[in-house]
Amino acid sequence: MFVGVGASRVRDMFEQGKKSAPCIIFIDEIDAVGRHRGHGVGGGHDEREQTLNALLVEMDGFDTQEGVIIIAATNRPDVLDPALLRPGRFDRQITVNLPDVKGREEILRVHSKKVKLAEGVDLAVVARGTPGYSGAELANVINEAALLAARRNLKGITLAELEEARDKVRWGKERRSLALSEKEKTNTAYHEAGHALLLELLEHTEPLHKVTIIPRGPSLGSTMWLPEEDKYTNRKAELLASLAVSMGGRVAEELAFGDVTNGARGDIKMATATARRMVCEWGMSEKLGMVEYGDHEDYVFLGRDISRARDYSEATAEEIDREVRTLLDEAYQRAKQILTANRDKLDVIAKALLEFETLDGSQIEDIVKHGRMLNPPPGIAPRGGEKMEPEKPPKQVVVAPDVTPPLPGALGGAPA
Ligand code: ZN
């Protein structure tokens, strides 16, 4: 509201606030006017600066007895002018983190008020299945589920729609229509089988949820695992295992075909990022010790951070690169050794994927333990048809898109 209108508008607003007290003045995206003065792109002494000055002056002349509370929101606390955050102005800062399981359930409850849920749908189940989802994503889950239910002529949204919507919001829509050659399908099946088998065989991994060769979003297949609960830390053993799992797709292609595709791009990118953070941020390299290398602010955007320099020497930079490389090489060797030793299982999983397209964790477990599935899936599900009720409470979530960009913890592989 302020941009381009200026300081007088700020004074007006406070005037109005005082008149209508008690009231709350809420300023969204405060960084638009509250940016650090004398910095930033677009020059210093511009109108925005006057607007900010007006805001500061008004806030100073304000007293707590007037019954006006000022709240502002931003995603960029790092670029705010420090004057704004001084006591007497905005004197409390509240960080709004991603919601935990309880929070997600409440958020889902709010958004589902506008839609009709089928009898017996338990939003707590959905909340458990959506770790790492933001409020906006949860709203989107409900919305997508409502659309799905409408398309299926259902009277209310069932868990099946919620689960499908959740997957869609996180990993993109299934693209069943994408025509793949047999060769590509086989390659994807081996690639995903490699991830899945390692996830099942290695210790310190999350439980395998689902593996599929149905294309989704930009990926041709995905291996999904599901954390048993919200997780805020990762042990080194878990990170090393996840690196090995990331390598599994590429290694499986190599073992099966003696050649590789570019489908491991997302895996490589993700593994490299994890390894680098282990070395540079998390002190998990013995050689480099518990030192932070570089500036790893979470908010690296234009503006203030643009000129930050590296804080270590050229020699250290080389050492970091070597350590990252070592972590990745070791993960690759570990993946290769395990998959080579279990080549028979890799073949069974890949073949089963070609036949059934999607397997769940318990089916992979059967193959690992018994060499075959004890409860094979009923066959390929009819496309877009009636709801398929999950036999188990739909746990969900996971991470594993075989895609390049997504969230922390994703995994998978297949040509984007
Ligand atoms: Zn992969």
Side-chain angles (χ1 to χ4, degrees):
M1 136 180 193
F2 301 126
V3 181
V5 189
S8 69
R9 198 91 184 253
V10 173
R11 290 189 284 274
D12 270 8
M13 179 183 70
F14 278 82
E15 210 47 52
Q16 272 181 42
K18 279 177 208 164
K19 270 189 220 144
S20 16
C23 74
I24 293 172
I25 296 178
F26 177 69
I27 308 171
D28 204 1
E29 314 286 1
I30 182 99
D31 50 276
V33 289
R35 203 170 279 253
H36 207 274
R37 282 168 295 184
H39 279 80
V41 189
H45 304 279
D46 55 4
E47 185 199 285
R48 194 187 65 206
E49 196 158 299
Q50 291 171 20
T51 313
L52 173 58
N53 286 335
L55 187 64
L56 293 172
V57 169
E58 289 295 331
M59 289 181 79
D60 276 343
F62 225 64
D63 109 49
T64 41
Q65 306 304 313
E66 291 184 74
V68 180
I69 294 172
I70 306 167
I71 301 176
T74 179
N75 289 321
R76 306 283 316 276
D78 58 318
V79 301
L80 291 185
D81 195 291
L84 264 179
L85 305 175
R86 257 173 228 144
R89 285 156 184 166
F90 289 110
D91 39 21
R92 297 210 188 155
Q93 292 183 44
I94 301 167
T95 305
V96 182
N97 289 312
L98 287 177
D100 61 8
V101 65
K102 197 85 201 98
R104 289 196 299 274
E105 187 180 337
E106 299 294 325
I107 291 170
L108 286 166
R109 207 172 296 293
V110 169
H111 291 294
S112 61
K113 275 195 187 126
K114 293 168 287 184
V115 299
K116 191 162 175 351
L117 296 178
E119 200 82 4
V121 168
D122 186 357
L123 290 175
V125 173
V126 183
R128 273 203 301 280
T130 44
Y133 280 55
S134 68
E137 284 174 319
L138 293 170
N140 205 0
V141 167
I142 297 284
N143 194 29
E144 288 291 340
L147 291 173
L148 274 171
R151 209 172 296 149
R152 292 170 184 177
N153 291 318
L154 300 177
K155 290 216 172 65
I157 301 170
T158 73
L159 264 181
E161 281 78 45
L162 287 165
E163 195 176 355
E164 197 172 326
R166 184 236 21 225
D167 288 356
K168 181 178 171 188
V169 168
R170 182 48 60 84
W171 294 296
K173 192 171 166 36
E174 281 187 357
R175 289 184 298 163
R176 285 175 179 273
S177 59
L178 188 71
L180 293 178
S181 67
E182 277 312 303
K183 214 171 153 191
E184 270 173 326
K185 266 198 198 159
T186 313
N187 192 79
T188 307
Y190 268 94
H191 182 110
E192 298 308 330
H195 287 313
L197 188 52
L198 284 170
L199 210 48
E200 192 61 40
L201 290 173
L202 283 169
E203 271 181 80
H204 309 296
T205 52
E206 302 287 357
L208 175 62
H209 172 49
K210 222 158 74 170
V211 46
T212 177
I213 57 166
I214 299 173
R216 185 184 276 284
S219 73
L220 296 188
S222 7
T223 302
M224 312 174 180
W225 60 86
L226 86 118
E228 268 154 351
E229 52 203 7
D230 286 344
K231 261 182 112 163
Y232 302 100
T233 56
N234 284 103
R235 297 183 173 280
K236 187 175 174 188
E238 292 166 345
L239 293 165
L240 291 174
S242 83
L243 290 183
V245 173
S246 297
M247 300 292 152
R250 164 61 63 86
V251 171
E253 291 181 33
E254 235 177 79
L255 291 178
F257 309 108
D259 195 4
V260 299
T261 67
N262 59 359
R265 178 179 149 213
D267 299 333
I268 294 171
K269 183 173 174 145
M270 203 182 75
T272 308
T274 304
R276 191 161 280 280
R277 297 187 73 185
M278 288 173 72
V279 174
C280 296
E281 291 174 55
W282 300 332
M284 290 181 180
S285 152
E286 274 163 36
K287 273 202 196 114
L288 287 151
M290 300 236 310
V291 177
E292 193 202 39
Y293 297 99
D295 183 90
H296 299 280
E297 284 285 315
D298 283 339
Y299 295 102
V300 186
F301 293 100
L302 276 181
R304 204 143 65 94
D305 301 318
I306 207 162
S307 60
R308 291 236 174 116
R310 204 173 65 184
D311 60 3
Y312 47 84
S313 70
E314 201 53 50
T316 307
E318 279 175 26
E319 212 174 334
I320 290 171
D321 290 342
R322 262 197 305 278
E323 273 298 273
V324 170
R325 176 72 199 270
T326 305
L327 282 172
L328 295 175
D329 284 351
E330 284 171 4
Y332 176 86
Q333 290 308 334
R334 194 171 170 199
K336 188 157 188 173
Q337 183 230 322
I338 295 174
L339 291 185
T340 307
N342 293 278
R343 178 60 204 272
D344 51 333
K345 289 163 192 144
L346 185 68
D347 289 334
V348 177
I349 296 173
K351 289 209 177 76
L353 276 174
L354 284 169
E355 185 175 353
F356 299 107
E357 291 188 338
T358 302
L359 300 175
D360 69 27
S362 67
Q363 287 154 345
I364 302 287
E365 204 182 322
D366 284 351
I367 294 176
V368 168
K369 281 200 186 124
H370 310 287
R372 66 193 175 85
M373 280 186 278
L374 305 181
N375 292 305
I380 294 173
R383 116 175 16 177
E386 260 305 287
K387 54 187 173 151
M388 303 160 288
E389 215 60 65
E391 334 70 38
K392 284 182 284 179
K395 26 183 201 172
Q396 325 215 327
V397 162
V398 171
V399 199
D402 254 326
V403 207
T404 323
L407 44 164
L411 159 311

